[in-house]
Amino acid sequence: MVLTTIYLTRHGFRVNWTLNPATGEYFTNVPSPTKIPSDPPLASYGVEQAKQLAEKVVTLDPPVGAIYSSPFYRCLETLKPTVARLGEAVPLRGDNGLG
């Protein structure tokens, strides 16, 4: 099989975080599920974007054969509706080099 098409997307709109320039520490008002302040979840608008992405992905031609993602929570959260729609036939692979 020859690879002919690559689809790219970015994570949905995320909760904001700030960086304290004096200490280098990240801060957010919304706790991260991973307990890492620089790994925030999606905001409600981002969750809606993730659902819209899933609706689009299932209509793509040629169809998606594999998904590669950063392991950041917001990225995986963005893909959750898409993975649910595509099912187990399409593998999801995390790649630290994409973060």
Side-chain angles (χ1 to χ4, degrees):
M1 177 179 86
V2 176
L3 178 66
T4 58
T5 305
I6 298 174
Y7 301 108
L8 296 175
T9 189
R10 185 167 163 78
H11 60 76
F13 189 81
R14 64 170 170 72
V15 171
N16 198 20
W17 47 264
T18 58
L19 175 65
N20 181 333
T23 64
E25 293 181 18
Y26 292 94
F27 175 78
T28 182
N29 289 327
V30 178
S32 170
T34 63
K35 308 290 188 246
I36 303 169
S38 61
D39 189 19
L42 296 179
S44 60
Y45 179 61
V47 171
E48 191 58 39
Q49 288 176 317
K51 293 174 187 174
Q52 293 170 2
L53 175 65
E55 294 299 318
K56 179 63 179 174
V57 168
V58 297
T59 68
L60 294 174
D61 187 31
V64 172
I67 298 173
Y68 296 86
S69 175
S70 161
F72 283 119
Y73 186 80
R74 61 190 172 269
C75 301
L76 297 174
E77 190 178 14
T78 298
L79 289 172
K80 188 175 180 180
T82 299
V83 170
R85 291 287 305 271
L86 293 175
E88 294 180 13
V90 177
L92 170 61
R93 297 182 178 111
D95 188 320
N96 289 338
L98 296 174

